[in-house]
Amino acid sequence: MAERSGGASGLLIGLGILGVAGLGLLLAFAAQGARDRQLDASPIGFGALTGTLKAAGIAARASHPYQSPLVEDLGLRILPLYDLDLHRTSDTPRDRADRIAATSLRDIDEETLATKLSEIPTLIMLPKWSGAMVELGVAHRQSLLARSSLRRVLRQIGVSRVEVQQAGAAFLPATMPEGQEMALFHAQTFERATLPNSCTEIIGMTAGALVVSCQMTGGEGPVLLLSDPDLLNNHGLAVAENAAFAPRLVAELIPADRPQTVYVDFSPDLLTAVDRDDERQDYTRGSAEFARFLTYPFGLFWAALLIVLGVVFWRGQRRFGPVAGVGAGPSSGPSSGDTGITRDRSKRLSLGAKARLLRLSGADARLAADFVQADLQDLAQTFFGREASAGSTERVLALLTRRDPALARDFAETSRRLTGDAALGPAALMRALDQYQSLRKKVLDHHGSA
């Protein structure tokens, strides 16, 4: 009993761990999804940009994890960058203090970023604010990112020697060529003196360059860089006439030979697809491909599966009890080997299950017949050993006939009466069973071995 209790306790502990692991995964994915939604809706998010562009008559669409637009259908990708170090993954914030102090708010893989830049002409909006703007919504100087961090991420993108400068705590106004009044708080611009020959200023302010086009290191295509994301984010679109200037700026940046559709890409994953129906496609399946099935939202299914499995196994444990060992049970007799014990126990369980079904169906005669047939087989094994075949019952009767013809005749007649097709009433059935048990006892007492 103690051994069975210990096994049950171990199983319950295992099921508890399984359920907790599934619940932990579910909560982790839910928390990550909540942080992403909070970032997109915050003052430094870009949830309002797509609607602003559409209202101005520009075809725009936002990234969605379940949609894969074709690269050939897109003219410009607007990519908010929240990662200050493309070479490492930032630590997950443990509490609100960590979220306020966080500098990398959404990691993106360097290889994924390079692919995005090569697929579609891309406007990268450099990061400017730390997590304090998301949590507190206060644009304080202490919430600004360090210039050294911006220098590092520019170098990782492939644009070297470009310096970023940050103005003081005031709205820096500027009048654009179209006449709109633009304003930026703590304006962040490129220092014109540091722009190399590979960079061309497209839009600027008195303080410095705002949008530049730079040839990346390695000879790859140009990349568009916006120094201050406040021009297009949720906070900036509500300032001055930024909401009127933003669509004009975006329309100017779309190449004339590309489709005039703007893709606002919030996702750190590569969601776009390439139309290669007429080309051979070779795929390399590595660990990264498998890891995609563990990320959101697929991770939710795995977490739910772990929880369901835990509940199912727990319910099975409660319903059927712990697994019994070989030969366990009060009816187990002396062992003559694991094979014999297993055979006997399996036979008892099978007969018990069949007897229960017959009792439930009211087939008492059939139950008695099955009992007599099984008992005759056991009697044959008593006489001739465990190797007795199915036809050994006739050998038992023949042996009894030689030794005690009268007993053999009565025993055979009673056995055939119980196992035959003739219907017996309850009283007759009980009398026949009593007679069978009495004759069987005589057989064993007087002729118990071959």
Side-chain angles (χ1 to χ4, degrees):
M1 181 64 71
E3 184 178 353
R4 290 170 65 89
S5 299
S9 300
L11 181 59
L12 288 176
I13 292 174
L15 295 178
I17 294 174
L18 190 65
V20 169
L23 185 60
L25 282 175
L26 191 62
L27 293 177
F29 286 117
Q32 181 61 47
R35 287 196 296 269
D36 287 340
R37 290 190 295 270
Q38 182 185 14
L39 176 58
D40 294 333
S42 70
I44 62 174
F46 291 85
L49 179 58
T50 305
T52 301
L53 296 178
K54 288 182 178 179
I58 296 178
R61 61 182 300 174
S63 61
H64 192 282
Y66 304 129
Q67 297 177 359
S68 299
L70 293 176
V71 168
E72 292 79 6
D73 297 335
L74 305 175
L76 178 69
R77 186 199 305 266
I78 297 179
L79 180 61
L81 188 62
Y82 295 103
D83 193 353
L84 285 180
D85 192 348
L86 305 179
H87 294 165
R88 64 181 294 271
T89 302
S90 59
D91 297 330
T92 302
R94 294 169 296 180
D95 49 30
R96 192 164 187 257
D98 287 348
R99 294 195 297 271
I100 291 175
T103 54
S104 290
L105 307 182
R106 180 179 287 159
D107 291 327
I108 184 171
D109 182 74
E110 184 178 19
E111 184 178 351
T112 301
L113 178 61
T115 304
K116 290 188 177 188
L117 297 181
S118 63
E119 283 185 343
I120 310 169
T122 301
L123 171 65
I124 294 181
M125 292 178 283
L126 293 183
K128 178 179 178 180
W129 303 99
S130 67
M133 273 290 282
V134 179
E135 294 294 324
L136 305 177
V138 178
H140 193 274
R141 184 172 187 82
Q142 293 181 348
S143 302
L144 292 172
L145 298 174
R147 296 172 57 190
S148 58
S149 300
L150 297 174
R151 189 183 307 119
R152 178 182 57 207
V153 75
L154 280 170
R155 185 174 63 252
Q156 292 174 352
I157 291 174
V159 180
S160 302
R161 299 188 302 276
V162 176
E163 294 291 337
V164 174
Q165 58 188 358
Q166 296 166 339
F171 282 99
L172 186 63
T175 301
M176 294 296 105
E178 293 79 5
Q180 294 91 1
E181 292 292 334
M182 182 192 69
L184 296 172
F185 187 69
H186 277 298
Q188 180 173 280
T189 57
F190 296 113
E191 294 184 21
R192 289 190 174 94
T194 65
L195 293 178
N197 295 331
S198 58
C199 292
T200 303
E201 180 179 344
I202 298 178
I203 298 293
M205 306 173 67
T206 304
L210 192 61
V211 180
V212 298
S213 174
C214 292
Q215 193 76 21
M216 292 185 293
T217 304
E220 299 182 10
V223 58
L224 298 168
L225 297 172
L226 173 61
S227 61
D228 197 325
D230 286 352
L231 180 60
L232 300 179
N233 62 21
N234 299 335
H235 158 68
L237 291 176
V239 175
E241 294 181 327
N242 292 357
F245 171 68
R248 291 181 177 272
L249 170 64
V250 171
E252 182 180 341
L253 297 178
I254 303 176
D257 59 344
R258 298 281 306 187
Q260 300 300 294
T261 301
V262 177
Y263 185 51
V264 183
D265 192 356
F266 309 124
S267 176
D269 301 318
L270 188 62
L271 302 178
T272 51
V274 180
D275 186 7
R276 294 176 177 171
D277 291 341
D278 299 332
E279 300 180 18
R280 173 181 172 180
Q281 302 183 47
D282 296 322
Y283 298 97
T284 302
R285 301 298 185 187
S287 58
E289 292 292 327
F290 175 75
R292 292 176 57 190
F293 292 97
L294 303 178
T295 58
Y296 180 86
F298 299 108
L300 296 178
F301 296 105
W302 296 117
L305 179 61
L306 287 176
I307 294 174
V308 170
L309 286 176
V311 172
V312 168
F313 285 125
W314 171 80
R315 180 55 185 162
Q317 162 72 15
R318 297 288 296 175
R319 172 65 178 85
F320 301 107
V323 178
V326 176
S331 59
S332 296
S335 174
S336 60
D338 289 344
T339 304
I341 293 176
T342 304
R343 185 188 300 115
D344 290 345
R345 188 167 190 274
S346 176
K347 189 174 183 179
R348 284 195 301 273
L349 292 175
S350 177
L351 289 174
K354 192 171 183 180
R356 183 173 183 271
L357 292 176
L358 291 173
R359 285 196 300 272
L360 292 174
S361 64
D364 293 337
R366 176 67 185 280
L367 178 62
D370 287 345
F371 166 74
V372 171
Q373 289 174 352
D375 190 70
L376 289 174
Q377 184 64 29
D378 285 343
L379 196 62
Q381 291 184 0
T382 301
F383 277 86
F384 305 113
R386 291 190 176 275
E387 302 304 323
S389 62
S392 298
T393 301
E394 300 300 330
R395 292 177 57 193
V396 172
L397 295 177
L399 179 63
L400 287 177
T401 301
R402 291 195 299 270
R403 293 182 176 181
D404 193 336
L407 178 59
R409 182 180 63 254
D410 294 341
F411 186 69
E413 182 180 349
T414 304
S415 300
R416 282 193 292 269
R417 186 182 178 192
L418 288 170
T419 57
D421 297 331
L424 297 177
L429 185 61
M430 290 302 299
R431 287 195 299 270
L433 283 173
D434 289 342
Q435 184 179 6
Y436 173 80
Q437 292 288 358
S438 176
L439 293 172
R440 181 180 184 278
K441 186 173 184 304
K442 290 181 180 180
V443 170
L444 291 176
D445 290 343
H446 300 294
H447 311 284
S449 65

